[in-house]
Amino acid sequence: MSAAAGSVVLMYHAVPDGVLGPDDADPHYSVSMAQFRAHLRLFADLGLRPSSVRDLLPHRGLPSASRGLALTFDDGHQSNFAAFAELAAHGGSADFFINPMTVGATGYLTWAQLREMAAAGASIQSHGLNHVFLDELPAAKVEMELALSRRRIEDQLGQPAELFAPPNGRMPAGLTQQARELGYSAICSSRPGVWLDPHAAEIARVAVLAATSTATLEGWLRRSPWTIGPALVRASLLRSGKRLLGNGRYMAVRRALLREHRAP
Ligand SMILES: [Zn+2]
């Protein structure tokens, strides 16, 4: 496995253990704890140690041999606390993209939990101040989402966010440049692909969904083009849909697309 260049960056959301509660996220994006444990076994079988994107940034100075796989979790769900404990027990780490405004709300991580995770090596990063679509905001508000979330995280955890993941993958023109000007190293987007250039301003991620089978995940990690292909096609359909349809209709079409592409 070490022959492949760059890193595959996986995007998770909630990892509920058992039945989904009313405060849990979109079930399409939720991976059960049992699935997640199967993923951890797969990574070990393939000789891949999951890292955070932050720890693979060039300025951290890690040898390139340690690249290969990074895990990220969006939205700061309460279930991420147990998922990180499981991951850390396997010697791995991940980035957690949080919205400071929802930290401590029902179903979400608290600052105390985030501090504990950060002390154990988790990378806590910004998903914006609120979970709002940046391509629908005036430029001044986009800047607030980027700058204030970074400062809030620094105030609470003692270190500023280095990475930014735009909610729903929505990227207004110039977002990567703006993020860099405000002190971020890179954007973790929702465009699928492999992270090849360590200095890239935008880092591609592949979404792990409830319907993603372990075999599909293995195909991604082995970089099989016929398995990562459908993910690229789906992402391009979802992206063009965002431009062509209004938000409400887009969300309905998105749900239909995600169901349609559910793995057997
Ligand atoms: Zn999100």
Side-chain angles (χ1 to χ4, degrees):
M1 277 304 295
S2 54
S7 304
V8 171
V9 182
L10 299 176
M11 170 176 41
Y12 288 91
H13 288 78
V15 186
D17 198 359
V19 182
L20 273 177
D23 297 314
D24 281 310
D26 186 336
H28 287 298
Y29 280 99
S30 298
V31 167
S32 73
M33 184 56 94
Q35 281 174 292
F36 187 61
R37 289 198 182 102
H39 297 173
L40 293 177
R41 285 193 294 275
L42 172 68
F43 305 152
D45 289 348
L46 295 174
L48 291 167
R49 195 188 73 85
S51 172
S52 60
V53 170
R54 179 199 65 184
D55 290 349
L56 298 180
L57 289 172
H59 69 85
R60 308 285 289 199
L62 251 76
S64 58
S66 59
R67 292 168 62 85
L69 173 64
L71 304 193
T72 67
F73 294 79
D74 281 13
D75 299 350
H77 293 288
Q78 179 62 237
S79 60
N80 290 174
F81 190 73
F84 175 68
E86 193 77 23
L87 183 57
H90 286 75
S93 191
D95 308 279
F96 295 85
F97 289 97
I98 59 156
N99 301 109
M101 294 307 284
T102 56
V103 171
T106 309
Y108 293 88
L109 295 163
T110 65
W111 286 116
Q113 286 176 316
L114 288 164
R115 272 190 284 274
E116 199 178 322
M117 290 163 70
S123 152
I124 312 299
Q125 305 297 338
S126 175
H127 198 32
L129 196 55
N130 303 280
H131 201 278
V132 290
F133 300 153
L134 301 184
D135 57 350
E136 294 177 353
L137 295 181
K141 286 229 163 119
V142 173
E143 182 170 333
M144 267 182 53
E145 289 287 328
L146 290 161
L148 295 184
S149 60
R150 188 168 186 269
R151 198 177 309 155
R152 247 342 242 291
I153 290 169
E154 179 169 19
D155 289 347
Q156 291 288 342
L157 305 179
Q159 52 191 30
E162 293 180 58
L163 298 163
F164 185 86
N168 215 35
R170 305 283 201 99
M171 294 176 57
L175 184 70
T176 48
Q177 180 60 31
Q178 195 178 8
R180 283 208 157 162
E181 282 163 9
L182 292 167
Y184 290 97
S185 294
I187 294 240
C188 285
S189 75
S190 302
R191 289 192 243 265
V194 175
W195 178 25
L196 292 172
D197 174 9
H199 297 274
E202 183 189 331
I203 296 168
R205 297 189 293 168
V206 189
V208 183
L209 309 176
T212 304
S213 69
T214 307
T216 297
L217 187 57
E218 181 170 354
W220 294 344
L221 296 172
R222 291 186 183 279
R223 318 285 173 83
S224 312
W226 53 89
T227 59
I228 214 159
L232 289 167
V233 169
R234 186 169 64 247
S236 122
L237 284 172
L238 290 170
R239 262 205 312 282
S240 52
K242 278 177 200 173
R243 283 198 303 271
L244 298 174
L245 305 169
N247 225 348
R249 281 195 61 209
Y250 163 72
M251 293 309 281
V253 170
R254 169 184 163 278
R255 280 183 214 291
L257 268 175
L258 291 173
R259 256 195 299 281
E260 194 178 308
H261 288 270
R262 190 180 276 247

mmCIF file of all heavy atoms in Angstrom, residues 145-193:
data_model
loop_
_atom_site.group_PDB
_atom_site.id
_atom_site.type_symbol
_atom_site.label_atom_id
_atom_site.label_comp_id
_atom_site.label_asym_id
_atom_site.label_seq_id
_atom_site.Cartn_x
_atom_site.Cartn_y
_atom_site.Cartn_z
ATOM 1 N N GLU A 145 -17.384 34.374 9.256
ATOM 2 C CA GLU A 145 -17.465 32.925 9.509
ATOM 3 C C GLU A 145 -16.068 32.323 9.614
ATOM 4 O O GLU A 145 -15.796 31.489 10.474
ATOM 5 C CB GLU A 145 -18.257 32.226 8.393
ATOM 6 C CG GLU A 145 -19.750 32.508 8.410
ATOM 7 C CD GLU A 145 -20.473 31.801 9.560
ATOM 8 O OE1 GLU A 145 -20.042 30.699 9.949
ATOM 9 O OE2 GLU A 145 -21.454 32.360 10.076
ATOM 10 N N LEU A 146 -15.185 32.763 8.718
ATOM 11 C CA LEU A 146 -13.816 32.245 8.707
ATOM 12 C C LEU A 146 -13.024 32.749 9.916
ATOM 13 O O LEU A 146 -12.405 31.965 10.640
ATOM 14 C CB LEU A 146 -13.096 32.678 7.425
ATOM 15 C CG LEU A 146 -13.545 32.030 6.104
ATOM 16 C CD1 LEU A 146 -13.092 32.885 4.931
ATOM 17 C CD2 LEU A 146 -12.958 30.633 5.964
ATOM 18 N N ALA A 147 -13.054 34.074 10.123
ATOM 19 C CA ALA A 147 -12.184 34.697 11.129
ATOM 20 C C ALA A 147 -12.666 34.429 12.555
ATOM 21 O O ALA A 147 -11.870 34.061 13.428
ATOM 22 C CB ALA A 147 -12.087 36.203 10.871
ATOM 23 N N LEU A 148 -13.979 34.603 12.802
ATOM 24 C CA LEU A 148 -14.465 34.467 14.183
ATOM 25 C C LEU A 148 -14.444 33.015 14.662
ATOM 26 O O LEU A 148 -14.182 32.737 15.827
ATOM 27 C CB LEU A 148 -15.875 35.052 14.326
ATOM 28 C CG LEU A 148 -15.984 36.571 14.104
ATOM 29 C CD1 LEU A 148 -17.403 37.051 14.356
ATOM 30 C CD2 LEU A 148 -15.000 37.324 15.008
ATOM 31 N N SER A 149 -14.699 32.064 13.752
ATOM 32 C CA SER A 149 -14.659 30.652 14.166
ATOM 33 C C SER A 149 -13.235 30.272 14.566
ATOM 34 O O SER A 149 -13.011 29.580 15.555
ATOM 35 C CB SER A 149 -15.159 29.746 13.040
ATOM 36 O OG SER A 149 -14.370 29.881 11.879
ATOM 37 N N ARG A 150 -12.278 30.779 13.796
ATOM 38 C CA ARG A 150 -10.863 30.484 14.075
ATOM 39 C C ARG A 150 -10.473 31.053 15.447
ATOM 40 O O ARG A 150 -9.810 30.392 16.247
ATOM 41 C CB ARG A 150 -10.010 31.092 12.964
ATOM 42 C CG ARG A 150 -8.551 30.710 13.010
ATOM 43 C CD ARG A 150 -7.835 31.119 11.725
ATOM 44 N NE ARG A 150 -6.474 30.614 11.735
ATOM 45 C CZ ARG A 150 -5.439 31.290 12.214
ATOM 46 N NH1 ARG A 150 -5.609 32.508 12.685
ATOM 47 N NH2 ARG A 150 -4.232 30.744 12.210
ATOM 48 N N ARG A 151 -10.928 32.294 15.705
ATOM 49 C CA ARG A 151 -10.588 32.945 16.977
ATOM 50 C C ARG A 151 -11.280 32.253 18.158
ATOM 51 O O ARG A 151 -10.699 32.060 19.213
ATOM 52 C CB ARG A 151 -10.995 34.418 16.917
ATOM 53 C CG ARG A 151 -10.307 35.257 17.990
ATOM 54 C CD ARG A 151 -10.672 36.724 17.874
ATOM 55 N NE ARG A 151 -10.484 37.241 16.524
ATOM 56 C CZ ARG A 151 -11.147 38.300 16.035
ATOM 57 N NH1 ARG A 151 -12.044 38.936 16.761
ATOM 58 N NH2 ARG A 151 -10.908 38.734 14.814
ATOM 59 N N ARG A 152 -12.559 31.864 17.959
ATOM 60 C CA ARG A 152 -13.307 31.167 19.023
ATOM 61 C C ARG A 152 -12.603 29.869 19.410
ATOM 62 O O ARG A 152 -12.494 29.529 20.587
ATOM 63 C CB ARG A 152 -14.679 30.813 18.491
ATOM 64 C CG ARG A 152 -15.951 31.410 18.992
ATOM 65 C CD ARG A 152 -16.032 32.082 20.283
ATOM 66 N NE ARG A 152 -16.986 31.392 21.182
ATOM 67 C CZ ARG A 152 -18.283 31.362 21.006
ATOM 68 N NH1 ARG A 152 -18.838 31.984 19.988
ATOM 69 N NH2 ARG A 152 -19.046 30.716 21.855
ATOM 70 N N ILE A 153 -12.144 29.126 18.407
ATOM 71 C CA ILE A 153 -11.469 27.852 18.671
ATOM 72 C C ILE A 153 -10.165 28.112 19.431
ATOM 73 O O ILE A 153 -9.833 27.406 20.382
ATOM 74 C CB ILE A 153 -11.245 27.077 17.345
ATOM 75 C CG1 ILE A 153 -12.602 26.590 16.813
ATOM 76 C CG2 ILE A 153 -10.270 25.911 17.524
ATOM 77 C CD1 ILE A 153 -12.597 26.052 15.396
ATOM 78 N N GLU A 154 -9.470 29.173 19.029
ATOM 79 C CA GLU A 154 -8.218 29.519 19.722
ATOM 80 C C GLU A 154 -8.500 29.909 21.177
ATOM 81 O O GLU A 154 -7.806 29.456 22.096
ATOM 82 C CB GLU A 154 -7.504 30.659 18.997
ATOM 83 C CG GLU A 154 -6.211 31.071 19.697
ATOM 84 C CD GLU A 154 -5.350 32.010 18.873
ATOM 85 O OE1 GLU A 154 -5.887 32.638 17.933
ATOM 86 O OE2 GLU A 154 -4.146 32.096 19.165
ATOM 87 N N ASP A 155 -9.539 30.712 21.407
ATOM 88 C CA ASP A 155 -9.890 31.132 22.775
ATOM 89 C C ASP A 155 -10.204 29.922 23.649
ATOM 90 O O ASP A 155 -9.861 29.885 24.827
ATOM 91 C CB ASP A 155 -11.123 32.054 22.768
ATOM 92 C CG ASP A 155 -10.797 33.425 22.191
ATOM 93 O OD1 ASP A 155 -9.603 33.726 22.042
ATOM 94 O OD2 ASP A 155 -11.743 34.171 21.882
ATOM 95 N N GLN A 156 -10.888 28.930 23.086
ATOM 96 C CA GLN A 156 -11.338 27.775 23.862
ATOM 97 C C GLN A 156 -10.276 26.693 24.016
ATOM 98 O O GLN A 156 -10.221 26.008 25.023
ATOM 99 C CB GLN A 156 -12.584 27.155 23.208
ATOM 100 C CG GLN A 156 -13.828 28.032 23.309
ATOM 101 C CD GLN A 156 -14.392 28.087 24.726
ATOM 102 O OE1 GLN A 156 -14.095 27.254 25.571
ATOM 103 N NE2 GLN A 156 -15.214 29.096 24.990
ATOM 104 N N LEU A 157 -9.463 26.499 22.972
ATOM 105 C CA LEU A 157 -8.534 25.355 22.974
ATOM 106 C C LEU A 157 -7.069 25.763 23.041
ATOM 107 O O LEU A 157 -6.191 24.903 23.139
ATOM 108 C CB LEU A 157 -8.753 24.480 21.730
ATOM 109 C CG LEU A 157 -10.188 23.953 21.511
ATOM 110 C CD1 LEU A 157 -10.259 23.128 20.238
ATOM 111 C CD2 LEU A 157 -10.666 23.130 22.698
ATOM 112 N N GLY A 158 -6.810 27.048 22.951
ATOM 113 C CA GLY A 158 -5.426 27.508 23.054
ATOM 114 C C GLY A 158 -4.635 27.398 21.773
ATOM 115 O O GLY A 158 -3.446 27.697 21.752
ATOM 116 N N GLN A 159 -5.286 26.964 20.699
ATOM 117 C CA GLN A 159 -4.600 26.945 19.403
ATOM 118 C C GLN A 159 -5.614 27.258 18.312
ATOM 119 O O GLN A 159 -6.739 26.764 18.349
ATOM 120 C CB GLN A 159 -3.930 25.597 19.143
ATOM 121 C CG GLN A 159 -4.860 24.408 19.327
ATOM 122 C CD GLN A 159 -4.106 23.090 19.319
ATOM 123 O OE1 GLN A 159 -2.943 23.036 19.715
ATOM 124 N NE2 GLN A 159 -4.761 22.037 18.861
ATOM 125 N N PRO A 160 -5.221 28.117 17.348
ATOM 126 C CA PRO A 160 -6.171 28.488 16.301
ATOM 127 C C PRO A 160 -6.396 27.340 15.319
ATOM 128 O O PRO A 160 -5.561 26.444 15.208
ATOM 129 C CB PRO A 160 -5.482 29.658 15.606
ATOM 130 C CG PRO A 160 -4.027 29.448 15.846
ATOM 131 C CD PRO A 160 -3.910 28.750 17.159
ATOM 132 N N ALA A 161 -7.515 27.382 14.620
ATOM 133 C CA ALA A 161 -7.758 26.399 13.566
ATOM 134 C C ALA A 161 -6.797 26.659 12.416
ATOM 135 O O ALA A 161 -6.494 27.804 12.105
ATOM 136 C CB ALA A 161 -9.195 26.513 13.089
ATOM 137 N N GLU A 162 -6.299 25.596 11.826
ATOM 138 C CA GLU A 162 -5.395 25.708 10.666
ATOM 139 C C GLU A 162 -6.101 25.338 9.373
ATOM 140 O O GLU A 162 -5.625 25.623 8.285
ATOM 141 C CB GLU A 162 -4.208 24.749 10.820
ATOM 142 C CG GLU A 162 -3.263 25.078 11.937
ATOM 143 C CD GLU A 162 -2.125 24.070 12.003
ATOM 144 O OE1 GLU A 162 -1.414 23.915 11.002
ATOM 145 O OE2 GLU A 162 -1.979 23.421 13.060
ATOM 146 N N LEU A 163 -7.231 24.616 9.515
ATOM 147 C CA LEU A 163 -7.950 24.104 8.347
ATOM 148 C C LEU A 163 -9.397 24.556 8.418
ATOM 149 O O LEU A 163 -9.958 24.713 9.507
ATOM 150 C CB LEU A 163 -7.902 22.574 8.328
ATOM 151 C CG LEU A 163 -6.515 21.954 8.205
ATOM 152 C CD1 LEU A 163 -6.549 20.488 8.603
ATOM 153 C CD2 LEU A 163 -5.994 22.116 6.771
ATOM 154 N N PHE A 164 -10.001 24.731 7.229
ATOM 155 C CA PHE A 164 -11.408 25.138 7.168
ATOM 156 C C PHE A 164 -12.150 24.215 6.216
ATOM 157 O O PHE A 164 -11.688 23.960 5.105
ATOM 158 C CB PHE A 164 -11.517 26.589 6.671
ATOM 159 C CG PHE A 164 -12.925 27.115 6.693
ATOM 160 C CD1 PHE A 164 -13.447 27.691 7.846
ATOM 161 C CD2 PHE A 164 -13.736 27.026 5.567
ATOM 162 C CE1 PHE A 164 -14.754 28.160 7.873
ATOM 163 C CE2 PHE A 164 -15.043 27.495 5.593
ATOM 164 C CZ PHE A 164 -15.550 28.066 6.753
ATOM 165 N N ALA A 165 -13.290 23.679 6.665
ATOM 166 C CA ALA A 165 -14.147 22.871 5.792
ATOM 167 C C ALA A 165 -15.460 23.622 5.601
ATOM 168 O O ALA A 165 -16.187 23.851 6.567
ATOM 169 C CB ALA A 165 -14.411 21.507 6.407
ATOM 170 N N PRO A 166 -15.765 24.074 4.378
ATOM 171 C CA PRO A 166 -16.999 24.843 4.172
ATOM 172 C C PRO A 166 -18.235 23.962 4.339
ATOM 173 O O PRO A 166 -18.269 22.853 3.803
ATOM 174 C CB PRO A 166 -16.875 25.350 2.727
ATOM 175 C CG PRO A 166 -15.865 24.486 2.071
ATOM 176 C CD PRO A 166 -14.968 23.945 3.148
ATOM 177 N N PRO A 167 -19.267 24.432 5.108
ATOM 178 C CA PRO A 167 -20.487 23.635 5.286
ATOM 179 C C PRO A 167 -21.104 23.228 3.956
ATOM 180 O O PRO A 167 -21.215 24.040 3.042
ATOM 181 C CB PRO A 167 -21.406 24.586 6.061
ATOM 182 C CG PRO A 167 -20.477 25.476 6.808
ATOM 183 C CD PRO A 167 -19.299 25.671 5.883
ATOM 184 N N ASN A 168 -21.458 21.955 3.849
ATOM 185 C CA ASN A 168 -22.079 21.401 2.654
ATOM 186 C C ASN A 168 -21.171 21.483 1.424
ATOM 187 O O ASN A 168 -21.634 21.348 0.303
ATOM 188 C CB ASN A 168 -23.405 22.123 2.366
ATOM 189 C CG ASN A 168 -24.442 21.177 1.790
ATOM 190 O OD1 ASN A 168 -24.493 20.003 2.158
ATOM 191 N ND2 ASN A 168 -25.267 21.651 0.886
ATOM 192 N N GLY A 169 -19.885 21.750 1.642
ATOM 193 C CA GLY A 169 -18.955 21.852 0.518
ATOM 194 C C GLY A 169 -19.150 23.105 -0.331
ATOM 195 O O GLY A 169 -18.542 23.223 -1.391
ATOM 196 N N ARG A 170 -19.985 24.058 0.120
ATOM 197 C CA ARG A 170 -20.286 25.256 -0.673
ATOM 198 C C ARG A 170 -19.119 26.229 -0.630
ATOM 199 O O ARG A 170 -18.774 26.727 0.445
ATOM 200 C CB ARG A 170 -21.535 25.945 -0.137
ATOM 201 C CG ARG A 170 -22.751 25.087 -0.053
ATOM 202 C CD ARG A 170 -23.374 24.894 -1.420
ATOM 203 N NE ARG A 170 -24.754 24.501 -1.230
ATOM 204 C CZ ARG A 170 -25.781 25.359 -1.325
ATOM 205 N NH1 ARG A 170 -25.589 26.606 -1.639
ATOM 206 N NH2 ARG A 170 -27.004 24.935 -1.121
ATOM 207 N N MET A 171 -18.545 26.498 -1.792
ATOM 208 C CA MET A 171 -17.374 27.375 -1.849
ATOM 209 C C MET A 171 -17.604 28.575 -2.752
ATOM 210 O O MET A 171 -17.574 28.453 -3.965
ATOM 211 C CB MET A 171 -16.159 26.572 -2.329
ATOM 212 C CG MET A 171 -15.746 25.511 -1.324
ATOM 213 S SD MET A 171 -14.401 24.468 -1.896
ATOM 214 C CE MET A 171 -13.154 25.696 -2.230
ATOM 215 N N PRO A 172 -17.817 29.782 -2.174
ATOM 216 C CA PRO A 172 -17.884 30.974 -3.025
ATOM 217 C C PRO A 172 -16.529 31.220 -3.684
ATOM 218 O O PRO A 172 -15.497 30.758 -3.164
ATOM 219 C CB PRO A 172 -18.222 32.096 -2.041
ATOM 220 C CG PRO A 172 -17.878 31.585 -0.688
ATOM 221 C CD PRO A 172 -17.919 30.073 -0.751
ATOM 222 N N ALA A 173 -16.541 31.904 -4.825
ATOM 223 C CA ALA A 173 -15.289 32.190 -5.533
ATOM 224 C C ALA A 173 -14.306 32.878 -4.592
ATOM 225 O O ALA A 173 -14.695 33.744 -3.809
ATOM 226 C CB ALA A 173 -15.574 33.076 -6.742
ATOM 227 N N GLY A 174 -13.049 32.470 -4.668
ATOM 228 C CA GLY A 174 -12.010 33.131 -3.882
ATOM 229 C C GLY A 174 -11.907 32.664 -2.441
ATOM 230 O O GLY A 174 -11.137 33.217 -1.655
ATOM 231 N N LEU A 175 -12.661 31.623 -2.068
ATOM 232 C CA LEU A 175 -12.664 31.192 -0.664
ATOM 233 C C LEU A 175 -11.293 30.694 -0.196
ATOM 234 O O LEU A 175 -10.862 31.012 0.914
ATOM 235 C CB LEU A 175 -13.718 30.095 -0.444
ATOM 236 C CG LEU A 175 -13.866 29.649 1.019
ATOM 237 C CD1 LEU A 175 -14.503 30.748 1.862
ATOM 238 C CD2 LEU A 175 -14.693 28.363 1.137
ATOM 239 N N THR A 176 -10.597 29.928 -1.055
ATOM 240 C CA THR A 176 -9.306 29.381 -0.623
ATOM 241 C C THR A 176 -8.312 30.513 -0.357
ATOM 242 O O THR A 176 -7.597 30.489 0.652
ATOM 243 C CB THR A 176 -8.712 28.418 -1.676
ATOM 244 O OG1 THR A 176 -8.779 29.032 -2.951
ATOM 245 C CG2 THR A 176 -9.466 27.097 -1.708
ATOM 246 N N GLN A 177 -8.319 31.512 -1.240
ATOM 247 C CA GLN A 177 -7.411 32.654 -1.086
ATOM 248 C C GLN A 177 -7.741 33.420 0.198
ATOM 249 O O GLN A 177 -6.853 33.755 0.991
ATOM 250 C CB GLN A 177 -7.555 33.563 -2.323
ATOM 251 C CG GLN A 177 -6.673 34.795 -2.310
ATOM 252 C CD GLN A 177 -5.190 34.442 -2.237
ATOM 253 O OE1 GLN A 177 -4.760 33.402 -2.748
ATOM 254 N NE2 GLN A 177 -4.411 35.299 -1.570
ATOM 255 N N GLN A 178 -9.050 33.658 0.400
ATOM 256 C CA GLN A 178 -9.511 34.396 1.580
ATOM 257 C C GLN A 178 -9.127 33.649 2.862
ATOM 258 O O GLN A 178 -8.673 34.252 3.842
ATOM 259 C CB GLN A 178 -11.029 34.554 1.493
ATOM 260 C CG GLN A 178 -11.591 35.591 2.432
ATOM 261 C CD GLN A 178 -13.101 35.754 2.263
ATOM 262 O OE1 GLN A 178 -13.746 34.975 1.549
ATOM 263 N NE2 GLN A 178 -13.664 36.753 2.911
ATOM 264 N N ALA A 179 -9.279 32.317 2.846
ATOM 265 C CA ALA A 179 -8.946 31.512 4.025
ATOM 266 C C ALA A 179 -7.453 31.638 4.344
ATOM 267 O O ALA A 179 -7.066 31.772 5.504
ATOM 268 C CB ALA A 179 -9.330 30.050 3.782
ATOM 269 N N ARG A 180 -6.632 31.624 3.310
ATOM 270 C CA ARG A 180 -5.181 31.746 3.537
ATOM 271 C C ARG A 180 -4.822 33.115 4.098
ATOM 272 O O ARG A 180 -3.990 33.225 5.001
ATOM 273 C CB ARG A 180 -4.422 31.464 2.237
ATOM 274 C CG ARG A 180 -4.370 29.968 1.944
ATOM 275 C CD ARG A 180 -3.160 29.594 1.137
ATOM 276 N NE ARG A 180 -2.835 28.180 1.311
ATOM 277 C CZ ARG A 180 -2.059 27.498 0.492
ATOM 278 N NH1 ARG A 180 -1.530 28.080 -0.563
ATOM 279 N NH2 ARG A 180 -1.792 26.231 0.733
ATOM 280 N N GLU A 181 -5.491 34.159 3.577
ATOM 281 C CA GLU A 181 -5.218 35.509 4.077
ATOM 282 C C GLU A 181 -5.585 35.633 5.552
ATOM 283 O O GLU A 181 -5.002 36.416 6.288
ATOM 284 C CB GLU A 181 -5.989 36.545 3.246
ATOM 285 C CG GLU A 181 -5.335 36.820 1.902
ATOM 286 C CD GLU A 181 -6.265 37.519 0.908
ATOM 287 O OE1 GLU A 181 -7.362 37.948 1.314
ATOM 288 O OE2 GLU A 181 -5.871 37.619 -0.275
ATOM 289 N N LEU A 182 -6.577 34.826 5.986
ATOM 290 C CA LEU A 182 -7.025 34.902 7.381
ATOM 291 C C LEU A 182 -6.274 33.919 8.281
ATOM 292 O O LEU A 182 -6.632 33.739 9.440
ATOM 293 C CB LEU A 182 -8.533 34.660 7.450
ATOM 294 C CG LEU A 182 -9.380 35.784 6.819
ATOM 295 C CD1 LEU A 182 -10.823 35.358 6.638
ATOM 296 C CD2 LEU A 182 -9.295 37.059 7.671
ATOM 297 N N GLY A 183 -5.255 33.263 7.737
ATOM 298 C CA GLY A 183 -4.389 32.442 8.587
ATOM 299 C C GLY A 183 -4.552 30.936 8.456
ATOM 300 O O GLY A 183 -3.843 30.184 9.115
ATOM 301 N N TYR A 184 -5.502 30.488 7.635
ATOM 302 C CA TYR A 184 -5.654 29.038 7.452
ATOM 303 C C TYR A 184 -4.585 28.516 6.493
ATOM 304 O O TYR A 184 -4.143 29.226 5.590
ATOM 305 C CB TYR A 184 -7.033 28.718 6.859
ATOM 306 C CG TYR A 184 -8.184 28.944 7.810
ATOM 307 C CD1 TYR A 184 -8.919 30.126 7.787
ATOM 308 C CD2 TYR A 184 -8.548 27.967 8.723
ATOM 309 C CE1 TYR A 184 -9.983 30.343 8.650
ATOM 310 C CE2 TYR A 184 -9.614 28.172 9.595
ATOM 311 C CZ TYR A 184 -10.325 29.353 9.553
ATOM 312 O OH TYR A 184 -11.381 29.552 10.411
ATOM 313 N N SER A 185 -4.201 27.240 6.684
ATOM 314 C CA SER A 185 -3.232 26.617 5.775
ATOM 315 C C SER A 185 -3.918 26.099 4.521
ATOM 316 O O SER A 185 -3.337 26.134 3.433
ATOM 317 C CB SER A 185 -2.542 25.433 6.462
ATOM 318 O OG SER A 185 -1.761 25.876 7.533
ATOM 319 N N ALA A 186 -5.136 25.575 4.673
ATOM 320 C CA ALA A 186 -5.827 24.982 3.518
ATOM 321 C C ALA A 186 -7.308 24.809 3.823
ATOM 322 O O ALA A 186 -7.741 24.887 4.971
ATOM 323 C CB ALA A 186 -5.210 23.628 3.170
ATOM 324 N N ILE A 187 -8.046 24.547 2.746
ATOM 325 C CA ILE A 187 -9.472 24.223 2.836
ATOM 326 C C ILE A 187 -9.617 22.725 2.608
ATOM 327 O O ILE A 187 -8.990 22.177 1.696
ATOM 328 C CB ILE A 187 -10.242 24.978 1.728
ATOM 329 C CG1 ILE A 187 -10.174 26.468 1.996
ATOM 330 C CG2 ILE A 187 -11.647 24.424 1.547
ATOM 331 C CD1 ILE A 187 -11.461 27.146 2.191
ATOM 332 N N CYS A 188 -10.413 22.058 3.420
ATOM 333 C CA CYS A 188 -10.770 20.666 3.150
ATOM 334 C C CYS A 188 -12.144 20.703 2.499
ATOM 335 O O CYS A 188 -13.142 21.036 3.149
ATOM 336 C CB CYS A 188 -10.806 19.848 4.443
ATOM 337 S SG CYS A 188 -9.157 19.467 5.068
ATOM 338 N N SER A 189 -12.189 20.425 1.199
ATOM 339 C CA SER A 189 -13.434 20.582 0.445
ATOM 340 C C SER A 189 -14.228 19.281 0.440
ATOM 341 O O SER A 189 -13.861 18.304 1.096
ATOM 342 C CB SER A 189 -13.114 21.022 -0.986
ATOM 343 O OG SER A 189 -12.614 19.940 -1.729
ATOM 344 N N SER A 190 -15.330 19.272 -0.304
ATOM 345 C CA SER A 190 -16.127 18.058 -0.468
ATOM 346 C C SER A 190 -15.987 17.513 -1.883
ATOM 347 O O SER A 190 -16.787 16.705 -2.317
ATOM 348 C CB SER A 190 -17.598 18.350 -0.168
ATOM 349 O OG SER A 190 -17.728 18.853 1.150
ATOM 350 N N ARG A 191 -14.981 18.000 -2.608
ATOM 351 C CA ARG A 191 -14.718 17.446 -3.936
ATOM 352 C C ARG A 191 -13.896 16.177 -3.767
ATOM 353 O O ARG A 191 -12.826 16.220 -3.159
ATOM 354 C CB ARG A 191 -13.915 18.443 -4.773
ATOM 355 C CG ARG A 191 -14.693 19.655 -5.205
ATOM 356 C CD ARG A 191 -13.881 20.395 -6.272
ATOM 357 N NE ARG A 191 -13.510 21.734 -5.826
ATOM 358 C CZ ARG A 191 -14.212 22.825 -6.111
ATOM 359 N NH1 ARG A 191 -15.313 22.744 -6.805
ATOM 360 N NH2 ARG A 191 -13.803 24.001 -5.703
ATOM 361 N N PRO A 192 -14.389 15.038 -4.284
ATOM 362 C CA PRO A 192 -13.632 13.801 -4.087
ATOM 363 C C PRO A 192 -12.371 13.765 -4.941
ATOM 364 O O PRO A 192 -12.300 14.387 -5.993
ATOM 365 C CB PRO A 192 -14.616 12.707 -4.509
ATOM 366 C CG PRO A 192 -15.636 13.361 -5.339
ATOM 367 C CD PRO A 192 -15.646 14.830 -5.013
ATOM 368 N N GLY A 193 -11.390 13.042 -4.457
ATOM 369 C CA GLY A 193 -10.124 12.914 -5.163
ATOM 370 C C GLY A 193 -9.070 12.499 -4.180
ATOM 371 O O GLY A 193 -9.387 12.145 -3.045
#
